[in-house]
Amino acid sequence: MSLSSALSIAQSALLATSKQTSVVSRNVADASNPDYTRRIAVVTSTAPGARAVEIQRTANDLLFRQNLSALSAWSGQSALYDGMDQLDLSVNGVDNASSPSTAIANLQKALQLYATTPSNQNLGTSVVDAAKQVVNSLNSGTKAIQDFRTQADSQIATAVNDLNSLLSQFQDANKAVISGTRSGTDVSDALDQRDALLKKISEYVPISTFTRGDNDMVITTRDGTTLFETVPRSVTFTPSSGYSAGTPGNTIYIDNVPVSAGIGDNTTADGKLAGLLKLRDGVASTMQSQLDEIARGLITAFAETAPSQPDATGLFTWSGAPAIPAAGTLVDGLAGSISVNAAFDPSAGGNPALLRDGGANGAAYVANTSGGASYADLLIGYGSKLDQPMAFDTSTGIAVSSGVSDYAANAIGWFEGVRQQASTNADSKQALAARTAEALSNDTGVNVDQEMSLLLDLEHTYQASAHMMKTVGDMLDSLLAAVG
């Protein structure tokens, strides 16, 4: 081997080792970055004595896709569960203190007390006051639910804007990958950026990806709708300024294809958009329907009856008074419009004794015809009707036959069951997301101890190459001295 060849080999080794050292140092510097993929400097021989270093990423497509799916599921469940917590507090209050069920229980107690001393009109006023609390619970619950739906609408609009922004950023990163691949330059950083954006995109909607020539990537939703192909596809949504009971929410479109909240019950959702849709159009709408059915049940239970006369509204009334809402049929928004009949309310000039005697709708409806002060049959009957099974609309998620008081309690049970299931799903999917992220990190992330050991080996290699260069230099000096 000639001295010039030896010198060339030593220089090549120094350059290769220097580049390897740079890669390892970069690995150590970005060890804490969850979006960084470990680089490997692969040395290849291109000519006798010459070396080239190629930088490769330790990517694992299978684990990465599993992590994307897990992130999407966790994001959807997290949005769903967090929204349910907020909804429960807004409608039912702390420990269900402001729930219709609690208010109805207080109304029953007031009725029972009045029935024991029907001559005491102060107790009758207490029943009317308790009825006002029931009405307030239903009215405020309706407002809280519709405000929540409006808020969810706003969150959907924000999420759609964020998703469009991420897709625009993805386009820039994808162009950088394609350009670098075509020119043969290192695209590791661009690939890391693109993968980081995919993680964020998957939090909004479940996605699938495939790569074409020049590392060009295409993104589709899980159901096959194209989300990105060369350019981002438009994600559109028109928020509503406000909601009323029974009003459906607007649809999210991806490339003019409607986004579905998913199939199944109210406790599963993949992606933040699906979670928000389930909250707005699933859980919240069902709660509203249950409130409306509670209101209908109360109007029915306290209706005045008379021989040869149609049943007419009593203590509780509504916009269709004096008629009673049809049995077993949901009336959208009834919980927001139910009120206490002014005929019974002393603050509105009414007489609470009508609750004991009957007759709010005329003489034909008077039950206490003798005018006895101790007459309590009507009061006892009202209390019994609150517990008597009646027909409720089965679309509200509660199929058990019950009285209105039990129905109100079952509504709380239904929500708690849904929320508990959503909590369980959120915990399990969070754990899955964490495990897949850990598995991906173990396979493609940086182990600092391993990198430091490799750095020490490279230092020894660098020292050997430098020593070789010094030896060749000494030999050249000796040769020149001998010639001179």
Side-chain angles (χ1 to χ4, degrees), residues 62-71 199 429-444:
L62 179 59
L63 286 177
F64 183 69
R65 289 175 182 175
Q66 289 177 342
N67 185 233
L68 291 181
S69 178
L71 284 172
K199 290 180 182 179
K429 291 179 180 181
Q430 180 182 15
L432 180 60
R435 290 193 187 100
T436 56
E438 182 181 3
L440 182 63
S441 177
N442 290 338
D443 193 68
T444 65

Side-chain angles (χ1 to χ4, degrees), residues 165-183:
S165 176
L166 288 171
L167 290 172
S168 179
Q169 296 174 49
F170 184 87
Q171 181 182 18
D172 295 337
N174 193 56
K175 285 180 178 178
V177 171
I178 295 173
S179 176
T181 301
R182 288 173 178 171
S183 63

Side-chain angles (χ1 to χ4, degrees), residues 298-368:
L298 287 168
I299 294 171
T300 301
F302 283 88
E304 285 198 329
T305 61
S308 304
Q309 296 291 330
D311 291 354
T313 53
L315 179 60
F316 296 100
T317 189
W318 65 304
S319 59
I324 304 299
T329 303
L330 176 66
V331 179
D332 288 323
L334 185 56
S337 63
I338 188 175
S339 61
V340 171
N341 194 331
F344 296 82
D345 186 1
S347 66
N351 182 9
L354 292 175
L355 191 62
R356 178 195 66 187
D357 301 332
N361 293 281
Y365 293 87
V366 173
N368 185 15

